[in-house]
Amino acid sequence: MKENNLTKPNTQDTFIKGSAWMTFGSITSRILGALYIIPWFSWMGQYGNIANALTARSYNIYSIFILISTAGIPGAVAKQVAKYNALNEYGVGRKLFRRGLILMVIMGIISAGIMYFASPFLASNGSHSDPRQVAVMRSLSYAILVIPVLSIMRGYFQGYADMMPSAMSQFIEQLARVIWMLLTAYIIMQVQHGDFVSAVVQSNLAAAIGAIFGIAILVWFLLSRRKEVNYLVENSNKQIQVSTLSLFKEIIAQAIPFIIIDAGIQLFYLVDQYTFHPMIASLVQASDNTIETWYALFALNANKLIMIIVSLASAMAVTAIPLLSAAKAKKNIKNISEQVGNTLDLFLFIMIPAAFGMAAISTPIYTIFYGFDQLGSNVLYLSSFTAITLGLFTVLMAILQGLSENSLAIKYLVLGLIIKLVVQYPMIYLFKIYGPLIATNLGMLTIIFFALRHLRVTFNFNQNRTSRRFIGITVFSIMMFIAVLITEKGLGLFLQVSNRWQAVVIVLVSVVIGAVVYSIAAIKSNLAQRILGDKIVLILQKLHIKA
């Protein structure tokens, strides 16, 4: 680490490498987080969707508390550490991290206490409070004690544009979490034949167990890289002196916008959590459990699967912030413009085909995880395209944060939420269960439009180049979508999509066909080489693949 990643001349290579590590961490943890649902949902029996609804509602509140307890500080620390490192002031960055760590412990204790005692007031579906929800929310409050520490440790490494420790901690955290969830669910539901609420409580307690293991692996990385960091600190310019009070003020000033912006998607979900039940109940005659089952279809069942591909955007977003912050610190407008373009190009290149592909196999993939349900499959189909807007929102907000355009990002988010609130009831009235997803898309697209316009006007990023690549990516994704759809329908003549194991075969074959079609189109058109850079060219040469 004697050569900080932020000072390397080829920021595209640094970005690709960082994105690769963060993608590994995000995707593997998301896949683990999705795969566990297959046995877990089955063990819940007839209570599967109700259990998922309890989890979805609790996690939405929990996610907000996590953002409050960390106060956006991990992202702010990553940004400020990158800034001081770019100025060769590594000592200031380390001091900032240590002070922030103390702050995180305090914030974790306060936030966990508030969530625990406020759970009876928060456990509402928009119509009435649910005692089962209280127990589940309280089990999640324990994680808030430790996750702030985990988050700021990740932020410190990301400030060095060193994404590998964060990625590994994500994987270890999720692995430990899934093992605890499956073990306790099996014992309670299959061995003891106990109450499903108790199993859900233990499954949510797993968040704290996973966080402890995540912290352990990051401590190991800190100790193993201590010599390299000490070298950088000792050879710093040491011309900037910052007091502890000034550091706290700097952290908080940067952190407050991070809270609001990072909570963006969760705020959209909270609108659904507290409005869907009363709104749909005013339009159709259905029991509470039926409405909760409908809510679970888009709030957790489909959402858990699309977040696998949305995590691609999150990985790129985390990588973009320190690189953009370093370029801003050096006032390198050309580098900023190039980095914005590279970020958006890579996002589109990966996200659009992933979303189209998931939409094409929505029925068999839903069957694999939750059993055959045509309504659930239809919700997943629409959710797959919604993943594009959620992902693009995530990336654009990260770009604006990295460029210190925090107030503008907040204004765009508020505008998008207002659109969501205004159209929520009309969309539910017109489209019933699909209404919340359509309302979310309308709100997100508003934010995306204004953010892109601002980046084009202010930082002059090459929108024409990105637009051309967007068209090419979309055309290739539609080709892949058609190929996957034909494959799925063809296999459906011989295999039953309603059978879980036969659905696995359909998905695997369809994914391979889709990947081959998209890869060939992207490589033969040189689109892959332009977006992924020199490394993909070397890989193609080693594989003896001609463009």
Side-chain angles (χ1 to χ4, degrees), residues 137 170 214 266 300:
M137 282 187 181
Q170 277 185 293
Q266 295 304 323
L300 191 138

Side-chain angles (χ1 to χ4, degrees), residues 382-455:
L382 179 57
S383 296
S384 298
F385 294 108
T386 303
I388 299 174
T389 56
L390 294 177
L392 190 51
F393 164 83
T394 303
V395 169
L396 288 171
M397 291 300 100
I399 289 173
L400 291 177
Q401 284 174 299
L403 296 172
S404 299
E405 299 278 359
N406 297 326
S407 60
L408 201 60
I410 292 171
K411 289 177 184 176
Y412 294 156
L413 174 59
V414 170
L415 177 61
L417 280 170
I418 291 172
I419 299 293
K420 164 77 170 173
L421 285 165
V422 168
V423 303
Q424 180 83 338
Y425 186 80
M427 293 301 103
I428 292 176
Y429 177 81
L430 292 171
F431 304 105
K432 301 302 185 289
I433 191 173
Y434 309 107
L437 291 170
I438 296 171
T440 293
N441 276 298
L442 292 173
M444 287 289 180
L445 286 171
T446 302
I447 298 170
I448 289 165
F449 170 78
F450 284 106
L452 285 173
R453 189 181 69 169
H454 174 73
L455 289 172

Side-chain angles (χ1 to χ4, degrees), residues 352 469-481 518 521:
I352 292 180
R469 292 179 176 180
F470 167 73
I471 293 170
I473 290 166
T474 304
V475 170
F476 298 153
S477 296
I478 292 172
M479 291 167 52
M480 178 210 66
F481 178 84
Y518 183 74

Side-chain angles (χ1 to χ4, degrees), residues 75 96 106 113 155 213 264 317 387 393 402 432 445 505:
L96 186 148
I106 296 170
F213 277 86
F393 164 83
K432 301 302 185 289
L445 286 171
V505 176

Side-chain angles (χ1 to χ4, degrees), residues 47-101:
Y47 302 106
N49 279 323
I50 303 298
N52 272 352
L54 288 173
T55 298
R57 292 187 185 282
S58 298
Y59 257 86
N60 287 340
I61 298 296
Y62 162 77
S63 297
I64 297 294
F65 269 92
I66 284 295
L67 289 169
I68 293 171
S69 65
T70 57
I73 289 174
V77 165
K79 180 181 175 182
Q80 295 305 98
V81 167
K83 168 188 166 183
Y84 288 119
N85 287 357
L87 299 173
N88 194 30
E89 293 288 352
Y90 294 90
V92 178
R94 184 159 70 175
K95 182 179 179 182
L96 186 148
F97 164 64
R98 289 174 175 174
R99 299 297 185 272
L101 199 58

Side-chain angles (χ1 to χ4, degrees), residues 359-364 372 374 377-378 381 481-497 506-507 509-510 513:
I361 56 172
S362 57
T363 299
F372 180 75
Q374 195 56 57
S377 300
N378 293 343
Y381 181 87
F481 178 84
I482 294 170
V484 171
L485 211 56
I486 291 172
T487 303
E488 185 208 342
K489 298 302 180 187
L491 290 171
L493 298 174
F494 310 99
L495 301 171
Q496 290 185 349
V497 73
I506 294 173
V507 167
V509 175
S510 299
I513 295 295

Side-chain angles (χ1 to χ4, degrees), residues 186-350:
Y186 180 79
I187 292 172
I188 293 170
M189 298 302 294
Q190 300 299 303
V191 177
Q192 298 176 345
H193 302 290
D195 177 30
F196 83 97
V197 176
S198 299
V200 175
V201 166
Q202 287 297 320
S203 293
N204 285 277
L205 182 62
I209 304 298
I212 291 169
F213 277 86
I215 289 172
I217 191 71
L218 286 175
V219 168
W220 181 83
F221 276 116
L222 276 174
L223 293 175
S224 65
R225 300 185 181 193
R226 185 171 48 189
K227 289 183 180 179
E228 288 87 346
V229 174
N230 287 343
Y231 174 87
L232 291 171
V233 171
E234 290 167 6
N235 289 275
S236 298
N237 291 338
K238 299 178 182 177
Q239 294 178 349
I240 298 177
Q241 296 296 322
V242 185
S243 68
T244 300
L245 182 61
S246 297
L247 282 175
F248 278 142
K249 286 181 179 178
E250 191 170 3
I251 290 174
I252 292 169
Q254 290 292 330
I256 291 174
F258 271 80
I259 301 174
I260 301 170
I261 297 167
D262 289 355
I265 291 177
Q266 295 304 323
L267 291 174
F268 274 75
Y269 290 163
L270 282 180
V271 172
D272 294 335
Q273 176 163 329
Y274 291 111
T275 64
F276 178 74
H277 192 113
M279 285 182 178
I280 199 76
S282 71
L283 297 171
V284 299
Q285 291 293 325
S287 68
D288 281 354
N289 277 351
T290 299
I291 293 175
E292 288 303 288
T293 297
W294 291 341
Y295 173 75
L297 293 183
F298 69 85
L300 191 138
N301 294 15
N303 189 56
K304 183 171 283 292
L305 297 177
I306 68 166
M307 289 309 292
I308 295 174
I309 52 179
V310 172
S311 64
L312 291 167
S314 300
M316 285 179 274
V318 169
T319 307
I321 289 177
L323 295 173
L324 286 166
S325 182
K328 185 75 181 292
K330 295 177 180 178
K331 299 180 180 180
N332 189 338
I333 300 299
K334 183 180 178 181
N335 194 0
I336 291 173
S337 174
E338 181 182 339
Q339 191 58 47
V340 169
N342 289 342
T343 303
L344 292 174
D345 291 349
L346 184 58
F347 164 79
L348 295 170
F349 184 76
I350 297 172

